[in-house]
């Protein structure tokens, strides 16, 4: 079973001062069309992760103890990356169910949709 959080849970995390990484695994064109603005956001397209492996992760996500929330368009790629990270030893990694599309519908329309 893939650990996941709802967009409502992500919205609450984003309001907090907690340290975590919001890892957006969408491709550049997708990211330009819709995005969440937060200092904890790191963009690493899934294609780059597939090519470079864990070395492609940002420095802020290198520790296996880092809390990571993985985001994509609708939740499919984020689930795959979450499962991969967990298999690599990351202990606190969660897929954002519904992705940025559901976040835009339920939480903040200003992030955009595509």
């Amino acid at each position: 079973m893939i650990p996941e959080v709802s967009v409502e849970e992500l919205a609450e995390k984003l309001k907090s001062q907690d340290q975590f990484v919001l890892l957006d695994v969408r491709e550049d064109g997708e990211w330009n069309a819709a995005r969440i603005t937060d200092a904890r956001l790191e963009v690493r397209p899934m294609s780059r992760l597939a090519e470079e492996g864990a070395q492609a992760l940002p420095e802020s996500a290198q520790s296996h103890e880092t809390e990571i929330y993985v985001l994509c368009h609708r939740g499919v790629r984020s689930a795959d990356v979450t499962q991969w990270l967990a298999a690599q030893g990351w202990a606190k990694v969660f897929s954002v169910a519904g992705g940025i599309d559901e976040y835009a519908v339920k939480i903040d329309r200003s992030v955009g949709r595509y």
Side-chain angles (χ1 to χ4, degrees):
M1 184 166 197
I2 298 168
E4 61 181 17
V5 297
S6 68
V7 293
E8 292 86 358
E9 290 169 307
L10 176 62
E12 289 303 312
K13 283 300 278 188
L14 289 169
K15 290 178 189 175
S16 77
Q17 298 300 314
D18 295 352
Q19 292 299 311
F20 64 89
V21 172
L22 176 58
L23 182 65
D24 192 327
V25 298
R26 296 174 301 138
E27 300 300 316
D28 292 339
E30 294 177 282
W31 189 78
N32 289 328
R35 71 180 85 166
I36 292 173
T37 304
D38 190 274
R40 296 162 290 198
L41 175 72
E42 297 281 359
V43 178
R44 291 300 186 276
M46 187 175 175
S47 61
R48 182 172 172 197
L49 292 171
E51 286 178 21
E52 300 175 29
Q55 298 86 342
L57 289 171
E59 187 176 327
S60 58
Q62 289 290 324
S63 168
H64 285 192
E65 295 304 312
T66 302
E67 190 173 357
I68 303 173
Y69 295 85
V70 185
L71 180 71
C72 69
H73 187 213
R74 294 206 172 116
V76 176
R77 287 173 285 177
S78 63
D80 289 343
V81 171
T82 297
Q83 185 174 31
W84 174 74
L85 287 170
Q88 300 293 313
W90 273 262
K92 302 173 195 167
V93 61
F94 308 90
S95 176
V96 179
I100 198 160
D101 194 57
E102 189 167 322
Y103 188 91
V105 170
K106 292 184 173 179
I107 307 298
D108 183 359
R109 291 193 181 275
S110 72
V111 302
R113 294 185 72 201
Y114 60 96

